[in-house]
């Protein structure tokens, strides 16, 4: 029987330097292309230095097989616009892309954009967005929709997208509204790496970082040297959590320490605003074994925070290879 392969989308660890942003993204994208990763995750938001669709085109032009995972927030775009981009990339590069459907951005950004929808209503809108996009991409006939947030009258996308290039949709929210929309629309559900590592796995997609070395002790020492604790960075995260209604951000933030657990779960990179997710720290073999266990419980897709450094990326590859799933 053929073993299912994990689809891994690297993302660069949080970058606050616009001078280094493109270089780091391209370094990870090209490494990912050479080493069998599915593509690269591209963030969206008022504070993102380069619009993800522009970055996706830059990456696709410079790679041979990369399928970017692009964050899409309805507050910035209409479903027809996104469908046109998907269709355009299919024609230009003959590759499918993946869409990370989000509603979250800073509350101050939503106010700046004049978006006054409640948290729950933003997910209703997200569900309508996915449904209309799918129809536009797949329907041989003009589309008519009369939704609460979107209406379409004889709207048609040309040319029709080949079935093999249809995008896959991911939803990363942890709230009840997010879970419901993911269920209703058939999107891949994403979650954060849980502290107990296995019992909390309830979705087919997971978001975390990997910090690996040959031995567990070496990994733990190197991780602590790479991600330093800093009160100013913790304060920065506190301010962003205060300016957000994201359920997962609050869940990760509240009552958590930065201690590196015996099982390798480590939240310090998140708590110090250096990453957007927890990390898994350990030897290549330990992390490989954990990934194999996750896959046995239904994990298929990983958003993987990565340090944009060749040595670190090689260690990540060794850990992934040790799983036998990559």
């Amino acid at each position: 029987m053929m073993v299912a392969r994990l689809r891994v989308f690297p993302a660069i660890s949080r970058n606050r330097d616009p001078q280094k942003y493109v270089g780091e993204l391209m370094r990870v994208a090209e490494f990912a292309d050479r080493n069998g990763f599915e593509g690269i995750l591209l963030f969206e938001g008022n504070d993102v230095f380069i619009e993800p669709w522009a970055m996706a085109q830059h990456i696709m032009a410079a790679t041979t097989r990369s399928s970017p995972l692009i964050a899409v927030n309805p507050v910035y775009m209409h479903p027809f616009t996104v469908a046109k981009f998907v269709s355009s990339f299919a024609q230009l590069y003959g590759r499918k892309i993946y869409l990370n459907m989000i509603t979250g951005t800073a509350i101050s950004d939503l106010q700046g954009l004049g978006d006054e929808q409640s948290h729950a209503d933003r997910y209703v809108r997200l569900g309508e967005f996915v449904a209309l996009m799918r129809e536009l991409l797949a329907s041989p006939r003009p589309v008519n929709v009369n939704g609460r947030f979107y209406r379409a009258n004889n709207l048609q996308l040309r040319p029709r997208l080949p079935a093999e290039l249809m995008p896959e949709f991911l939803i990363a929210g942890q709230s009840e509204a997010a879970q419901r929309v993911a269920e209703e629309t058939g999107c891949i559900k994403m979650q954060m790496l849980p502290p107990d590592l296995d019992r909390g796995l309830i979705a087919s997609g997971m978001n975390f970082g990997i910090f690996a070395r040959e031995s567990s002790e070496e990994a733990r020492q190197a991780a602590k040297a790479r991600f330093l604790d800093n009160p100013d960075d913790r304060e920065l995260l506190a301010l962003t959590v205060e300016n957000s209604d994201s359920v997962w951000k609050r869940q990760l933030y509240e009552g958590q320490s930065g201690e590196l657990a015996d099982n390798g779960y480590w939240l310090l990179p998140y708590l110090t605003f250096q990453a957007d997710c927890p990390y898994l720290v350990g030897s290549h073999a330990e992390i490989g074994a954990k990934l194999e266990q996750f896959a046995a419980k239904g994990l298929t897709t990983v958003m993987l925070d990565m340090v944009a450094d060749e040595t670190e990326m090689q260690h990540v590859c060794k850990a992934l290879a040790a799983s036998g799933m990559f």
Side-chain angles (χ1 to χ4, degrees):
M1 187 173 98
M2 196 172 140
V3 181
R5 191 175 156 276
L6 282 175
R7 297 187 300 193
V8 182
F9 296 92
I12 59 169
S13 292
R14 185 174 277 280
N15 182 316
R16 290 181 240 161
D17 184 350
Q19 302 301 315
K20 294 180 180 172
Y21 185 70
V22 174
E24 288 198 348
L25 264 177
M26 291 310 293
R27 194 153 62 246
V28 174
E30 285 162 1
F31 180 89
D33 202 52
R34 292 193 306 271
N35 288 279
F37 291 82
E38 196 71 18
I40 184 168
L41 173 62
L42 299 170
F43 297 109
E44 174 65 291
N46 285 25
D47 59 347
V48 170
F49 298 133
I50 293 183
E51 173 60 31
W53 293 96
M55 197 68 225
Q57 179 149 18
H58 192 55
I59 286 167
M60 289 174 94
T63 55
T64 56
R65 52 171 301 279
S66 192
S67 291
L69 169 56
I70 301 169
V72 175
N73 188 332
V75 77
Y76 296 114
M77 276 182 168
H78 190 278
F80 187 76
T81 309
V82 178
K84 288 284 276 187
F85 269 121
V86 171
S87 171
S88 300
F89 283 176
Q91 292 173 76
L92 287 168
Y93 304 106
R95 290 180 230 168
K96 74 184 278 184
I97 60 170
Y98 295 78
L99 302 173
N100 186 33
M101 305 304 300
I102 61 171
T103 65
T105 190
I107 292 168
S108 57
D109 291 347
L110 290 172
Q111 289 168 344
L113 292 161
D115 191 289
E116 296 173 358
Q117 303 301 330
S118 68
H119 181 271
D121 282 346
R122 293 205 304 274
Y123 274 103
V124 173
R125 178 172 64 188
L126 192 73
E128 286 191 14
F129 190 108
V130 172
L132 177 51
M133 247 199 90
R134 278 205 174 119
E135 273 206 72
L136 286 167
L137 290 168
S139 176
R141 296 184 183 82
V143 172
N144 289 285
V145 166
N146 188 17
R148 187 169 145 205
F149 291 95
Y150 297 107
R151 290 182 185 146
N153 298 298
N154 294 320
L155 186 61
Q156 190 160 17
L157 183 73
R158 294 188 183 90
R160 210 162 126 221
L161 195 69
E164 67 274 14
L165 296 182
M166 279 293 281
E168 289 186 53
F169 296 81
L170 289 69
I171 288 188
Q174 305 296 291
S175 65
E176 280 181 29
Q179 299 290 317
R180 189 183 65 253
V181 169
E183 203 72 53
E184 287 170 356
T185 55
C187 294
I188 298 165
K189 272 196 255 188
M190 301 296 299
Q191 69 167 98
M192 289 290 163
L193 179 75
D196 60 17
L197 298 188
D198 343 89
R199 287 195 301 278
L201 179 54
I202 53 167
S204 59
M206 197 147 57
N207 189 358
F208 58 99
I210 285 175
F211 203 98
R213 291 292 186 271
E214 286 299 328
S215 74
S216 177
E217 191 47 44
E218 197 189 344
R220 294 171 81 88
Q221 285 177 8
K224 287 175 181 176
R226 173 64 180 77
F227 291 106
L228 300 173
D229 203 346
N230 180 320
D232 290 345
D233 289 338
R234 283 184 178 253
E235 180 61 26
L236 200 52
L237 179 73
L239 291 170
T240 67
V241 170
E242 206 175 293
N243 190 27
S244 170
D245 61 0
S246 165
V247 170
W248 69 261
K249 274 193 177 173
R250 207 161 286 284
Q251 282 175 349
L252 281 185
Y253 178 72
E254 286 173 354
Q256 299 283 359
S257 81
E259 293 300 311
L260 178 44
D262 290 342
N263 66 1
Y265 181 87
W266 199 36
L267 206 52
L268 186 77
Y270 170 77
L271 294 173
T272 51
F273 206 60
Q274 297 176 77
D276 278 314
C277 56
Y279 261 66
L280 184 56
V281 180
S283 70
H284 303 135
E286 285 171 339
I287 290 174
K290 281 289 173 203
L291 292 172
E292 198 176 358
Q293 287 169 23
F294 296 159
K297 294 192 172 186
L299 183 70
T300 64
T301 306
V302 178
M303 287 183 191
L304 189 66
D305 194 90
M306 276 173 76
V307 177
D309 169 271
E310 186 73 26
T311 304
E312 293 304 337
M313 293 191 287
Q314 292 289 358
H315 281 297
V316 167
C317 274
K318 285 180 184 175
L320 290 168
S323 72
M325 315 292 300
F326 182 78

